[in-house]
Amino acid sequence: STDDAIELSASEGIIVNAHVSTDGHNISLTAGTAIELTNNGSLDTGSGEAHVALVANSGGILMGPSSFIDGADGAVSLAATGEIALSKIFSTGDVFVTTSGGSIQAADNVTGTNHVDGKTVALSSAGGVGVENRPLLVKINTPGNGGELDAIAVAGIDIEVAPGGLSFGEVRSSGGDIRILARGTDETLIPSASIIEAPSGNVTLTLGGSLHLQPTGTIIAAGEIEIIGDSLVADVTAADQ
């Protein structure tokens, strides 16, 4: 633990194999290749709005199943050029996860927890986000009050949302299906100007509670749009895009 910010830059890879914490100061790791947090590895800013930033310039970011990143009230950002495997990220601030050359998936053997917990959770992938039988588990802390789910992918998007509420921002899969499972949500909001789009696939929303589609909020699919609620199933076949 330290009372100062942590800034570490390496020409090759970075491995975090212990608990690293600050007393409300930034943590920044920049690797020439990949970044790994082992089962013993964790990053914790302690309190306040200090940020955590991980950059893997030529590789992925791998979190072991027992590792975690705690950003307190600050933003957490992960950027890589390869695969990203997520264990546990918590923050009441925004969480950004981006890879320009891989997918965003759950780390192996992670159970009983959200993989990403933030105000706005923004995921961008050159591959997929989650997989159909193993979705990425996400919690949106303040839906309807600035918090939203954003996910952009080339392949499919498979996300399970923790109980609470859900507000969509921009969710797009250019080459696959979109499947959002949110059975524990009290209310799901598709605000004005938000979009859920699968121009080459299907959109399936499995929701609890009520769904509010506001003016200019949009759902688009090349195939089927299926909205499943506690007492409602709506099937829409969209025109070819």
Side-chain angles (χ1 to χ4, degrees):
S1 181
T2 177
D3 290 334
D4 298 317
I6 295 173
E7 242 182 279
L8 177 62
S9 180
S11 59
E12 297 186 0
I14 294 175
I15 298 175
V16 180
N17 193 37
H19 180 65
V20 177
S21 64
T22 68
D23 186 16
H25 298 285
N26 297 337
I27 299 174
S28 176
L29 306 181
T30 302
T33 55
I35 296 176
E36 179 183 358
L37 275 70
T38 70
N39 283 333
N40 296 320
S42 59
L43 302 173
D44 187 350
T45 58
S47 62
E49 296 184 356
H51 69 253
V52 177
L54 276 61
V55 178
N57 282 314
S58 185
I61 297 175
L62 173 63
M63 298 182 67
S66 300
S67 67
F68 68 87
I69 298 172
D70 189 341
D73 300 324
V76 175
S77 65
L78 279 64
T81 61
E83 296 290 309
I84 296 181
L86 301 177
S87 174
K88 295 175 280 290
I89 299 176
F90 328 103
S91 178
T92 61
D94 297 333
V95 178
F96 306 93
V97 181
T98 302
T99 173
S100 61
S103 296
I104 300 171
Q105 308 289 351
D108 291 339
N109 303 315
V110 179
T111 58
T113 185
N114 303 317
H115 301 123
V116 186
D117 187 331
K119 180 181 178 183
T120 285
V121 174
L123 311 166
S124 179
S125 169
V129 174
V131 292
E132 185 172 5
N133 60 351
R134 198 155 174 261
L136 200 68
L137 305 180
V138 170
K139 181 174 176 59
I140 307 299
N141 287 325
T142 57
N145 190 28
E148 64 182 31
L149 173 64
D150 297 308
I152 309 295
V154 173
I157 295 174
D158 289 273
I159 293 174
E160 182 174 350
V161 180
L166 172 60
S167 181
F168 286 101
E170 181 180 3
V171 177
R172 298 179 190 263
S173 169
S174 60
D177 296 330
I178 296 173
R179 287 175 286 265
I180 308 293
L181 176 62
R183 287 198 184 99
T185 56
D186 304 317
E187 181 179 71
T188 298
L189 179 65
I190 302 177
S192 297
S194 67
I195 186 167
I196 302 170
E197 182 179 20
S200 300
N202 306 312
V203 173
T204 303
L205 307 178
T206 304
L207 311 172
S210 57
L211 171 66
H212 296 280
L213 178 62
Q214 295 187 342
T216 72
T218 306
I219 305 174
I220 300 172
E224 292 187 338
I225 298 173
E226 185 175 24
I227 302 172
I228 305 170
D230 287 343
S231 58
L232 169 66
V233 176
D235 290 291
V236 179
T237 301
D240 291 339
Q241 303 300 307

